[in-house]
């Protein structure tokens, strides 16, 4: 299961790697909905937008990392900002990857594929 909060529209279904293409993707439009979903869901990857209508995806990333779960999900943060400080803030929050928007869907698929290969 993959999970994302923020901008909608998944192109994972076009991926060449079956584990990515067939992934279940659940979406939440707000930070509050994302927090509620993560209380019960155990996704492998969380894809967050930095700017959500009711807060920052960075706050949720920090919460996921602070939870200390041994098998915490990998965190991808997306942002329209390409400033080095924004990227560093994401890494400092515990995010595993940063994607600057707009990004090519192939970049996300490549990242997820690489993570699947190292998890095996």
């Amino acid at each position: 299961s993959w999970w994302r909060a923020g901008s909608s529209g998944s192109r994972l279904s076009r991926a060449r790697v079956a584990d990515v293409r067939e992934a279940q993707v659940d979406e939440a439009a707000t930070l509050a909905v994302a927090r509620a979903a993560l209380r019960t869901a155990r996704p492998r990857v969380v894809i967050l937008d930095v700017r959500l209508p009711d807060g920052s995806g960075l706050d949720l990333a920090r919460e996921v990392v602070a939870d200390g779960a041994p098998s915490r999900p990998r965190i991808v943060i997306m942002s329209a900002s390409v400033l080095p400080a924004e990227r560093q803030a994401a890494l400092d929050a515990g995010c595993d990857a940063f994607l600057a928007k707009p990004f090519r869907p192939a970049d996300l698929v490549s990242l997820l594929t690489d993570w699947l290969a190292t998890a095996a």
Side-chain angles (χ1 to χ4, degrees), residues 3-118:
W3 195 81
R4 82 187 248 139
S7 56
S8 61
S10 172
R11 300 219 180 149
L12 296 179
S13 62
R14 295 182 187 172
R16 291 187 179 155
V17 177
D19 283 348
V20 174
R21 183 178 58 247
E22 296 168 3
Q24 174 186 336
V25 178
D26 298 317
E27 297 187 42
T30 67
L31 195 58
V33 172
R35 279 188 179 118
L38 285 174
R39 285 188 199 109
T40 58
R42 293 290 174 224
R44 293 169 65 189
V45 176
V46 175
I47 303 168
L48 298 167
D49 203 307
V50 169
R51 287 169 189 53
L52 295 167
D54 57 345
S56 171
L58 292 175
D59 292 336
L60 184 55
R62 286 184 199 96
E63 293 169 22
V64 169
V65 171
D67 181 37
S71 60
R72 82 159 175 87
R74 298 272 189 126
I75 303 169
V76 179
I77 196 88
M78 300 182 305
S79 176
S81 173
V82 294
L83 297 175
E86 184 97 17
R87 182 179 301 269
Q88 189 59 50
L91 297 175
D92 291 346
C95 297
D96 299 292
F98 179 93
L99 285 176
K101 295 189 294 184
F103 60 89
R104 296 177 320 129
D107 294 337
L108 177 59
V109 170
S110 176
L111 176 68
L112 297 174
T113 302
D114 289 347
W115 285 350
L116 288 170
T118 59

